[in-house]
Amino acid sequence: MRTFAIEDDFYLDKKPFKVISGAIHYFRVVPEYWQDRLEKLRLMGCNTVETYVPWNLHEAQEGVYQFEGILDLRRFIQTAQEVGLYVILRPAPYICAEWEFGGLPYWLLQDPMMRLRFDYPPFMEKITRYFAHLFPQVRDLQITQGGPILMMQVENEYGSYANDKEYLRKMVAAMRQQGVETPLVTSDGPWHDMLENGTIKDLALPTINCGSNIKENFEKLRRFHGEKRPLMVMEFWIGWFDAWGDDHHHTTSTADAVKELQDCLAEGSVNIYMFHGGTNFGFMNGSNYYERLAPDVTSYDYAALLTEWGEPTAKYQAFKKVIADYAEIPEFPLSMKLERKAYGTFSVKERVSLFSMIDTISQPIIRNYPLSMEACNQATGYIYYRSLIGPARKIADYRLINTMDRAHTFINQELLRIDYDREIGQSYSFDLSESENELGILVENMGRVNYSVKMNHQHKGIKDGVIINGAFQSNWEIYPLPMDNLHAIDFQGKWQKGQPSFSRFECVFDECADTFIELPGWGKGFVQVNGHMIGRFWEKGPQQRLYVPAPFLKTGMNEIIVFESDGKIADEIVFHDQADLGPEG
């Protein structure tokens, strides 16, 4: 039986072992490319791959579990082993990862008393049930059973959230109960009380997350250990993520990162975050919230060692040279050749307004009061509220109460205003001119916050209500719009300028290659390619083009559907062979 132990050092089969790992999130990369990305990690000299596990994908609806396709965690781990890599698995219910709600499923918020990431019995019961489905997928892939999994993480950066040690201990017990045999670790920032808050030293090895001052932070970790224990940076941040509205695409200094990597490997082990970032497909980007809402863009390029589309960077080559001083660099041919292609410009084929199709793609819920997305069993996307608000008069006080994140107000299906983040909740006035008037409100979930205290307040849509002249408006039709059934759209319906709309394109390709779609002149929305949800676009940038992997395409006719919410559309889309993530800085 093979063994991996944590003592004064890491020991693989009783021999000292330096973990040289890189992060790849299987759920951000199409399965057809898993082997390519893993091979490139091995060819750089790394011996291990690390990945998070997103609870909110594997149990998107409560009690319904998915482990197929892009969610085939078992296959990803087996592919890593075939390539010659060990695995660090981070199956915590919370992953952060700039991912929607930090990987927590939205339906947790249906409990009005929910206490996320605490020893709250209903929360623990749901985790235990999830673990009972998750761990059978990977239990026999542990190193002790001939698999590649060396160690697993308990929770994630818990010390920057709370210090409920009983919760952490129960997490460990739940993992052990499911047959986890590998050593356990925790990972926290080395600042303030984070290490003290987030660790259970008798049950899991503390590691740190940081991107600079490695020598200083290793010394902090050494003092915190209080004895001879291996030093490891579980997340060595070599880049950063972008939010909509940033004025540039974040990059980092290769020279600085190389110096810090040298310091990591001179004293301990490392997991490079990210080796390959990938893509926030669909609506799965997370958000941060400090002074304002900052939803992440569709690309998770992260200025990583491989680009979003899998191309090695100059930083990759520089890291490879450093790693060569500590490990043998293997040589073998890549199993596939990736190509990119500029397919050119295509014109719109058909277009239809959301309002003429809404009863086709959604069934209304009738209530006296608005319901949040969570109350409608909806995770992501949009939700539309409709109510009759009476005859012509002045509306002196119009307010949306406890509403997130971006709200379009329509009067008689004409756009009145768009409110975003802190604008929502302010009082506005306007005049009604018809004998009977219809109020419509389209609300978009821009991505639930994935870090810090705002996570406890992530109900999307309208949670409380709508004020009309000082009183709550009643009698609502509520249309959940997860946008997962666009095949049902009848494009022969009516289109009206200025309304949210769906535009359909037919694009004939003679071969399938990676490509990048640009929407010049469009406002805000999302793109679907042959039924695959690519992600959001927004004219405010910084990202200007969306990555479309070749496995999403077909030889011959391809159907592209673009939803645009702001009434700002064009008649063309363009496919390029190069990305445009915005000006670098």
Side-chain angles (χ1 to χ4, degrees), residues 260-276:
E260 298 293 347
L261 178 64
Q262 289 170 332
D263 290 345
C264 279
L265 295 177
E267 294 189 76
S269 292
V270 68
N271 176 53
I272 300 161
Y273 192 100
M274 296 290 297
F275 170 75
H276 173 53

Side-chain angles (χ1 to χ4, degrees), residues 252-262 315 318-319:
T252 55
S253 162
T254 295
D256 289 347
V258 162
K259 176 186 177 301
E260 298 293 347
L261 178 64
Q262 289 170 332
K315 198 184 298 183
F319 273 39

Side-chain angles (χ1 to χ4, degrees), residues 211-218 233 236-238 252-267 270 315 318-323 325-326:
S212 59
N213 301 320
I214 298 297
K215 286 186 176 182
E216 175 186 336
N217 290 325
F218 264 170
V233 181
F236 171 41
W237 303 324
I238 63 163
T252 55
S253 162
T254 295
D256 289 347
V258 162
K259 176 186 177 301
E260 298 293 347
L261 178 64
Q262 289 170 332
D263 290 345
C264 279
L265 295 177
E267 294 189 76
V270 68
K315 198 184 298 183
F319 273 39
K320 184 175 182 178
K321 291 180 181 178
V322 174
I323 292 170
D325 291 336
Y326 296 90

Side-chain angles (χ1 to χ4, degrees), residues 252-541:
T252 55
S253 162
T254 295
D256 289 347
V258 162
K259 176 186 177 301
E260 298 293 347
L261 178 64
Q262 289 170 332
D263 290 345
C264 279
L265 295 177
E267 294 189 76
S269 292
V270 68
N271 176 53
I272 300 161
Y273 192 100
M274 296 290 297
F275 170 75
H276 173 53
T279 307
N280 296 318
F281 291 117
F283 300 123
M284 297 313 295
N285 65 279
S287 299
N288 281 286
Y289 203 112
Y290 297 102
E291 289 80 19
R292 62 181 178 86
L293 180 67
D296 299 311
V297 302
T298 297
S299 171
Y300 198 63
D301 179 84
Y302 206 87
L305 302 183
L306 295 187
T307 63
E308 180 184 7
W309 51 100
E311 181 179 1
T313 64
K315 198 184 298 183
Y316 175 100
Q317 302 299 338
F319 273 39
K320 184 175 182 178
K321 291 180 181 178
V322 174
I323 292 170
D325 291 336
Y326 296 90
E328 182 179 346
I329 305 296
E331 294 184 11
F332 57 84
L334 290 168
S335 60
M336 65 188 307
K337 181 181 179 182
L338 303 180
E339 296 183 352
R340 301 193 304 273
K341 186 165 184 178
Y343 293 104
T345 301
F346 294 85
S347 297
V348 65
K349 184 80 172 179
E350 299 170 303
R351 179 169 286 151
V352 65
S353 291
L354 168 65
F355 299 141
S356 66
M357 278 295 101
I358 199 161
D359 285 294
T360 300
I361 61 173
S362 182
Q363 297 298 312
I365 300 169
I366 311 300
R367 289 290 187 277
N368 287 340
Y369 42 83
L371 298 174
S372 68
M373 282 189 179
E374 295 74 20
C376 297
N377 296 318
Q378 181 183 352
T380 56
Y382 302 74
I383 188 166
Y384 185 66
Y385 303 86
R386 184 164 66 188
S387 182
L388 297 177
I389 57 172
R393 67 192 190 281
K394 184 175 185 61
I395 303 299
D397 180 18
Y398 169 70
R399 282 176 284 154
L400 304 177
I401 309 300
N402 203 348
T403 299
M404 293 193 292
D405 291 312
R406 192 167 186 262
H408 296 62
T409 296
F410 299 88
I411 300 297
N412 302 320
Q413 299 188 351
E414 291 189 6
L415 181 64
L416 177 68
R417 59 179 304 106
I418 302 175
D419 294 303
Y420 178 56
D421 188 24
R422 291 182 298 178
E423 299 166 343
I424 297 176
Q426 298 180 28
S427 179
Y428 298 103
S429 62
F430 55 88
D431 294 320
L432 298 176
S433 58
E434 303 297 325
S435 58
E436 182 59 82
N437 294 273
E438 177 186 281
L439 170 66
I441 306 166
L442 179 68
V443 184
E444 179 182 2
N445 169 4
M446 289 292 296
R448 289 183 181 85
V449 168
N450 54 257
Y451 185 79
S452 194
V453 297
K454 288 284 186 177
M455 288 189 66
N456 292 292
H457 306 281
Q458 289 304 301
H459 291 84
K460 300 301 182 179
I462 302 176
K463 187 171 186 291
D464 286 352
V466 179
I467 296 294
I468 301 290
N469 280 344
F472 281 110
Q473 172 71 12
S474 63
N475 298 321
W476 291 92
E477 293 177 296
I478 306 160
Y479 289 86
L481 295 167
M483 301 297 191
D484 56 1
N485 61 342
L486 303 192
H487 61 276
I489 294 175
D490 179 4
F491 280 92
Q492 301 308 307
K494 180 182 178 182
W495 172 75
Q496 184 169 323
K497 184 178 180 181
Q499 292 184 355
S501 62
F502 299 95
S503 298
R504 181 175 175 272
F505 296 79
E506 292 183 352
C507 307
V508 177
F509 300 154
D510 57 358
E511 61 178 330
C512 298
D514 288 352
T515 190
F516 303 86
I517 186 170
E518 183 176 9
L519 298 101
W522 296 72
K524 187 180 189 307
F526 66 83
V527 176
Q528 185 186 89
V529 174
N530 294 326
H532 299 281
M533 292 292 286
I534 300 300
R536 307 177 205 260
F537 66 89
W538 198 354
E539 61 182 336
K540 70 190 301 182

